[in-house]
Amino acid sequence: MHNRFGSRSDMVIQRVEENGQTFLLAIDEKGLYLTTERYLDRNLADPHRYAGLRAGVPARLAALGLDAPGLREAHQHKVKMIGEGEPKKKINPLKASKRSMKG
């Protein structure tokens, strides 16, 4: 099962050095964001992913000489939508037919 709020190593595009700190450039269904190794592959919610800090990411990447739209397009295949890859719930056809008969 995949963690909807945490960051996974398969989401990472590359390491980025900014002001002497190392960040990981990652991608999800909402776009690019910068995170740290502290939140990678742990069962923790990543505040870099969900805290609303994404507005400045394209400008930060541009200042580092990176093409944010190009990176997003090139790595779109890494994006997993919520529920993707999880087994579908089996439906009992008898119960389903009874539900449809209720008026």
Side-chain angles (χ1 to χ4, degrees):
M1 185 173 148
H2 104 121
N3 184 348
R4 295 185 341 180
F5 304 106
S7 295
R8 302 178 313 276
S9 56
D10 65 340
M11 298 166 75
V12 175
I13 296 173
Q14 68 185 53
R15 289 185 183 279
V16 175
E17 292 287 328
E18 182 183 45
N19 299 327
Q21 293 183 327
T22 302
F23 292 97
L24 300 171
L25 179 61
I27 188 168
D28 67 2
E29 63 276 357
K30 294 181 182 178
L32 299 173
Y33 66 99
L34 293 167
T35 189
T36 60
E37 287 196 35
R38 178 174 184 232
Y39 296 102
L40 198 62
D41 292 327
R42 297 201 178 157
N43 198 17
L44 295 171
D46 186 345
H48 300 104
R49 187 174 177 194
Y50 285 99
L53 302 174
R54 292 178 186 245
V57 171
R60 288 172 68 186
L61 293 176
L64 295 169
L66 298 171
D67 175 31
L71 286 168
R72 183 175 181 164
E73 186 176 325
H75 295 280
Q76 195 65 36
H77 66 279
K78 292 185 176 193
V79 175
K80 291 184 181 176
M81 299 309 284
I82 296 170
E84 183 178 321
E86 294 179 11
K88 303 264 185 210
K89 185 176 178 182
K90 293 184 178 180
I91 298 173
N92 183 335
L94 294 174
K95 288 184 178 179
S97 66
K98 289 179 182 176
R99 280 189 214 127
S100 65
M101 290 195 301
K102 290 181 180 177

